Amino acid sequence: KAGVTQTPRYLIKTRGQQVTLSCSPISGHRSVSWYQQTPGQGLQFLFEYFSETQRNKGNFPGRFSGRQFSNSRSEMNVSTLELGDSALYLCASSLSAGVQETQYFGPGTRLLVL
Amino acid sequence: AQSVTQLGSHVSVSEGALVLLRCNYSSSVPPYLFWYVQYPNQGLQLLLKYTSAATLVKGINGFEAEFKKSETSFHLTEPSAHMSDAAEYFCAVSHSGGGADGLTFGKGTHLIIQP
């Protein structure tokens, strides 16, 4: 079974631009979560989607948004990019949104904002 | 709020030696605990998880972790280190609200294997 895929793998943008990242979960998984990883802040939860609904969101500004499609694929969007948005963005999928569900991570999209 | 503390941002061991990576958590409810490994330029790979079925959890690649409620710890061990174990290791706790609040991760421990 194919794992979680993320596209693109690398991205360079300039301040003020917007960016859209894509995540395809493992087949059959209905929950998708997004995380931001930076050297300073570590891994931080962005948001989670289950059955096309955002269930919760981490402590990030409204510039960070996302959505999930009927096939469980998810996208996240960052508008008005700032230098501090440079990070590895990880997507994780799980069968459902239960507390003990294991999240399986993709390879990430590395975003560099200049 | 739940939190995870990983003691030691860097741990260095000799090849063949015991690996011990420390993780302490705080949680107001019984937690679900996970250990993930991250190799350079890759995502996170699950090593093992604790879901209250057994306090000693065995994972992949010879790793295991023991849940100790009295010490609020979930330390990761491997009896004999291999060069291929060099990576970043993350301990994480799942919120009682389920995946809705996501995983809370520790800062990570970089494991260095000396030949």
Side-chain angles (χ1 to χ4, degrees):
Chain A
K1 187 180 282 189
V4 178
T5 58
Q6 293 186 244
T7 57
R9 291 292 310 276
Y10 302 92
L11 207 50
I12 300 176
K13 292 286 187 179
T14 57
R15 279 180 298 175
Q17 288 186 309
Q18 74 164 14
V19 67
T20 299
L21 311 182
S22 180
C23 171
S24 293
I26 293 171
S27 178
H29 285 196
R30 296 170 61 195
S31 175
V32 173
S33 298
W34 289 88
Y35 295 83
Q36 181 195 63
Q37 184 178 25
T38 60
Q41 298 299 317
L43 282 152
Q44 294 184 286
F45 171 72
L46 278 158
F47 30 64
E48 188 220 14
Y49 287 87
F50 179 70
S51 294
E52 302 179 65
T53 301
Q54 185 181 91
R55 297 190 69 222
N56 211 336
K57 185 175 180 180
N59 189 25
F60 279 83
R63 300 185 296 107
F64 291 81
S65 63
R67 60 177 175 170
Q68 186 180 35
F69 302 95
S70 58
N71 62 358
S72 294
R73 189 177 69 85
S74 177
E75 289 181 347
M76 68 163 282
N77 183 278
V78 187
S79 62
T80 318
L81 284 166
E82 301 177 359
L83 295 179
D85 297 333
S86 294
L88 180 67
Y89 290 90
L90 293 164
C91 166
S93 76
S94 57
L95 275 172
S96 73
V99 62
Q100 58 186 331
E101 289 292 332
T102 298
Q103 295 189 27
Y104 297 89
F105 285 79
T109 294
R110 187 167 296 280
L111 172 65
L112 176 62
V113 182
L114 301 176
Chain B
Q2 303 188 51
S3 65
V4 174
T5 302
Q6 290 184 240
L7 298 176
S9 59
H10 291 77
V11 170
S12 179
V13 302
S14 299
E15 189 176 14
L18 171 72
V19 175
L20 171 62
L21 304 182
R22 300 177 187 275
C23 172
N24 288 88
Y25 70 91
S26 68
S27 173
S28 58
V29 295
Y32 291 90
L33 295 159
F34 305 80
W35 274 101
Y36 283 89
V37 61
Q38 185 177 35
Y39 298 99
N41 298 315
Q42 295 188 26
L44 302 176
Q45 179 183 3
L46 179 71
L47 282 174
L48 48 82
K49 69 176 184 180
Y50 167 75
T51 59
S52 78
T55 57
L56 183 61
V57 183
K58 294 187 182 299
I60 63 172
N61 301 338
F63 284 94
E64 61 181 40
E66 186 173 8
F67 173 72
K68 292 186 176 180
K69 184 178 179 180
S70 61
E71 300 177 6
T72 61
S73 69
F74 190 56
H75 301 333
L76 181 71
T77 60
E78 187 194 21
S80 178
H82 303 91
M83 295 299 293
S84 58
D85 294 332
E88 192 83 14
Y89 291 79
F90 294 93
C91 182
V93 61
S94 179
H95 290 238
S96 60
D101 291 339
L103 290 167
T104 296
F105 287 89
K107 292 295 187 182
T109 296
H110 185 64
L111 178 62
I112 301 163
I113 311 296
Q114 303 282 3

